[in-house]
Amino acid sequence: MGNVIEEYVIDPSIFDALATRSAWELVVTATHNVTGQTKPAIHTVSSWTQYQFDDPNFPNNPKLISPYAFNTPDPWLEADLTNARANLQNRFPYPPYSACKPQPNVFIRQYLADDGIRPTGINPWSLNDLVVSPDINYFPWKLADPTSSLGNVAPFGPNHLSHPLYEGTTAYIYFRLQNRGVTSAAARVNLYVSTVNGLWSPDAWTLAGSLTNELVAPEEFRVVGPIEWSGLSVPPSGEYRFIAIIGTAGDPEPNIGKLSGFAQIEAFIQENNNVACVAFKVLRPDDVYIRDNLSDVGMSQPTSAPLSMSPDINHYQQELAKPQEILAIPAAQIREDLFQPIKAGQMNYIYLRLQNRGDAPGIVDADLYYTPPSTLPTPASWIKIGSLVNQLVTPSEFRVVGPILWNAPPQAGHYCFVAVLGTIGDPKPDVSNIKTIDDYHTLVRQNNNVAWKNFEILNSAPSLGNHLKIKFVFEFLVQGWDEGEFVGDLEIQLGKLPKGTEVQLRVAAALANEARSYRLEHLRSQGRQTLFSVAPFKDSALRDIRLKPGLRSPTSLTINFPPDARPGSYDIAVLQKIDGKEVGRVTRRLIIAPKNRKTKESKRASVTKSR
């Protein structure tokens, strides 16, 4: 209520006896001359007129008089005010003035002991005193019973009954109001939001929402709200300020139009009992993710980042006794080769490694799919293996979950795993909504809760004995979109292969005939197949391939290592692009083992996958 400390109800006969302004000033001066100094409370005719009016709602139509001017605050101590109230009662002891009650006076506390009398006697206020209102309560969820949660706590506390808010999540803000008066009043609440520094400039405040007609009875402690603040409006993580301004018919909201700077805002909050401010934080919600590659930190992947290389889909031929100790230690977190070949005809155990880059715990559900190896593994080709539910991942945790059991792998061959995660705050992408190639690209690149991993199903490790060359062949599908025709590129990334390595690409003649070859030498065409020689030391491509709707064209890459190839691992990738954007890839890691000295075998080769 502005700078008004007290408003007193005076019996009409008493007011008539003080018919002149000078007579009333004598009473006020005598009343507040407690510390030995005269403290006149009324200095201007305008302020006298402002606080002298009839209240038809009060019995006998008494007059409402304020002995404290709006524009001339006096820093009285609480003791002065107590003595002043007693002196007025002694001077005018007849009803209704003897109760010494103010008219409707709805206020919101700025600190826990605030009784609605401003200034408070706290002098000087610290900066923190301005942002600690216990009566602005905020939550990222709606309270089932706000009065029980916020109103039945004696003595109207504690100070902080709130919860940090989350980016993109609707906030619910409640207010606790009191009425120092003798009649009820319908209150309005306007809630503003500012940055920390923006608090000092109301031009930078944003209106979050309003409440109207919230009736507060005399001496009631009333919980009102909530104001629903849309998640679209909740700002990014950081610290902010809520400013609540209350108004009633007889005590309108203070004007913020001309306020500016720390001093004026400080006085505005200190001296108006219908203004309060509180600091609050916005946190990141739970943001559980699974990596696409070792460089993935949960952000949207740049177009240059490899797909189908997730280190966090880990499959084994037996159940791990302590998966967290095996897969989550720091040394294991940076490895992408922690898996075993999937075997047909037996149970396989698949674990997922998850992280939470948010500020809230996440309860995760995860689905795991497999699909035949393809350079465009569209969701229509995914086959579900199984799911995990209610997996808790706390902020900053590196958590191993599972296993998902797979007891029905298809026949030996090369396949791809797809993991899709979701929480309440960050639901699983609905793969049934993937209708266009742009939808698919968004799913692949901009969802940190989707990951791919290629893998090889082997019945036994290959042994080549004394063969002159070490040969690897892997097959995959060049695939089109289910609806619509596109033009795309097939790129081959060989890395650094040993000198003397020979690489050949076998592709459907219908695709090769209309495409442009880049660093590919045409060897021959046989029936419906075309064979190309691939330069082993540079990236190659088949460009401008017509990808008809529903196309699933078998393709293969053959790598022949020379007999004297140095032992080691070699990554081979074939990727597909549409409009210059990668939409999928098939990746293999070829491992040439050292020569067995006892048996003098020439070479032993094994194939494992790197997603």
Side-chain angles (χ1 to χ4, degrees), residues 131 191-208 229 235 238-244 265 269 277-282:
V131 294
L191 181 67
Y192 296 89
V193 181
S194 80
T195 62
V196 174
N197 293 330
L199 178 62
W200 317 123
S201 177
D203 289 342
W205 297 359
T206 300
L207 182 66
W229 191 25
E239 186 170 336
Y240 299 89
R241 304 290 186 256
F242 278 135
I243 308 100
I265 298 298
I269 297 174
C277 180
V278 71
F280 71 97
K281 289 184 177 180
V282 175

Side-chain angles (χ1 to χ4, degrees), residues 45-277:
V45 174
S46 62
S47 62
W48 167 256
T49 306
Q50 185 172 0
Y51 295 106
Q52 177 181 326
F53 58 88
D54 294 340
D55 184 354
N57 297 317
F58 197 80
N60 302 320
N61 193 27
K63 306 294 182 178
L64 185 63
I65 304 297
S66 171
Y68 197 60
F70 193 95
N71 61 341
T72 55
D74 249 3
W76 295 331
L77 299 176
E78 179 63 22
D80 294 338
L81 186 61
T82 301
N83 290 333
R85 186 182 297 115
N87 288 342
L88 285 173
Q89 285 182 303
N90 291 333
R91 189 174 293 269
F92 306 110
Y94 10 128
Y97 180 69
S98 59
C100 199
K101 290 282 188 178
Q103 281 288 358
N105 185 200
V106 177
F107 72 96
I108 183 169
R109 293 176 298 172
Q110 182 52 39
Y111 64 103
L112 195 60
D114 187 354
D115 63 358
I117 299 175
R118 306 276 182 92
T120 64
I122 299 177
N123 189 22
W125 282 36
S126 71
L127 182 61
N128 288 335
D129 289 326
L130 297 176
V131 294
V132 293
S133 173
D135 290 342
I136 305 174
N137 301 276
Y138 46 88
F139 303 89
W141 54 78
K142 195 170 186 177
L143 298 181
D145 188 346
T147 299
S148 296
S149 299
L150 301 174
N152 295 333
V153 184
F156 310 132
N159 209 357
H160 298 290
L161 290 174
S162 296
H163 189 284
L165 306 181
Y166 295 116
E167 293 178 357
T169 301
T170 297
Y172 300 87
I173 303 96
Y174 300 83
F175 307 88
R176 305 193 292 189
L177 308 181
Q178 299 180 62
N179 186 352
R180 300 177 58 251
V182 293
T183 58
S184 299
R188 301 178 298 270
V189 181
N190 291 324
L191 181 67
Y192 296 89
V193 181
S194 80
T195 62
V196 174
N197 293 330
L199 178 62
W200 317 123
S201 177
D203 289 342
W205 297 359
T206 300
L207 182 66
S210 301
L211 300 174
T212 58
N213 296 320
E214 298 289 351
L215 189 66
V216 186
E219 300 187 10
E220 181 184 14
F221 187 86
R222 175 82 190 283
V223 178
V224 302
I227 287 176
E228 293 191 18
W229 191 25
S230 169
L232 297 176
S233 300
V234 175
S237 59
E239 186 170 336
Y240 299 89
R241 304 290 186 256
F242 278 135
I243 308 100
I245 301 179
I246 315 300
T248 63
D251 185 17
E253 299 88 333
N255 186 2
I256 64 174
K258 296 183 179 181
L259 297 175
S260 179
F262 174 79
Q264 290 188 17
I265 298 298
E266 180 186 36
F268 178 73
I269 297 174
Q270 288 181 17
E271 297 166 3
N272 287 283
N273 72 354
N274 52 357
V275 177
C277 180

Side-chain angles (χ1 to χ4, degrees), residues 308-330:
S308 304
M309 291 290 292
S310 175
D312 293 338
I313 302 174
N314 310 98
H315 38 86
Y316 291 87
Q317 297 170 8
Q318 66 284 326
E319 186 172 4
L320 300 182
K322 297 180 178 180
Q324 190 72 22
E325 294 182 12
I326 295 173
L327 297 173
I329 61 174

Side-chain angles (χ1 to χ4, degrees), residues 344-552:
Q346 71 166 61
M347 186 71 73
N348 294 267
Y349 302 84
I350 306 167
Y351 299 85
L352 306 179
R353 304 196 293 185
L354 311 179
Q355 298 181 66
N356 186 351
R357 58 185 296 272
D359 295 309
I363 305 296
V364 181
D365 293 343
D367 296 329
L368 186 67
Y369 303 83
Y370 79 88
T371 178
S374 167
T375 51
L376 181 56
T378 61
S381 66
W382 300 358
I383 301 172
K384 191 173 183 178
I385 297 173
S387 300
L388 297 171
V389 297
N390 297 328
Q391 303 295 311
L392 176 65
V393 186
T394 58
S396 302
E397 182 181 13
F398 192 100
R399 175 81 189 281
V400 179
V401 298
I404 294 173
L405 305 182
W406 192 20
N407 196 30
Q411 73 273 10
H414 191 63
Y415 289 84
C416 175
F417 279 131
V418 183
V420 182
L421 319 176
T423 64
I424 294 177
D426 184 16
K428 288 183 290 188
D430 186 350
V431 298
S432 66
N433 288 333
I434 308 301
K435 305 297 184 183
T436 69
I437 196 70
D438 289 335
D439 292 341
Y440 178 80
H441 190 265
T442 298
L443 176 73
V444 173
R445 287 295 183 184
Q446 299 182 22
N447 281 284
N448 65 1
N449 48 3
V450 177
W452 270 259
K453 181 177 183 176
N454 294 325
F455 64 95
E456 174 81 4
I457 298 178
L458 297 175
N459 292 318
S460 63
S463 177
L464 303 180
N466 294 319
H467 290 187
L468 295 178
K469 292 186 177 181
I470 305 168
K471 182 178 180 180
F472 295 96
V473 179
F474 71 93
E475 299 177 343
F476 55 93
L477 297 175
V478 173
Q479 194 163 328
W481 194 248
D482 296 331
E483 298 180 6
E485 181 174 310
F486 291 89
V487 175
D489 300 336
L490 190 70
E491 296 187 358
I492 303 169
Q493 298 179 350
L494 299 178
K496 190 175 182 180
L497 299 178
K499 186 177 181 180
T501 300
E502 298 175 353
V503 183
Q504 294 181 347
L505 172 69
R506 186 179 299 273
V507 65
L511 300 182
N513 292 341
E514 299 183 9
R516 294 184 299 108
S517 61
Y518 175 71
R519 290 178 177 166
L520 297 175
E521 180 184 352
H522 181 271
L523 295 179
R524 60 183 178 275
S525 295
Q526 294 178 329
R528 297 182 179 181
Q529 298 289 313
T530 296
L531 190 65
F532 291 96
S533 175
V534 182
F537 309 115
K538 297 179 181 180
D539 293 345
S540 325
L542 199 59
R543 303 201 183 281
D544 299 332
I545 302 174
R546 288 184 62 194
L547 303 170
K548 296 182 179 181
L551 173 71
R552 294 169 64 87

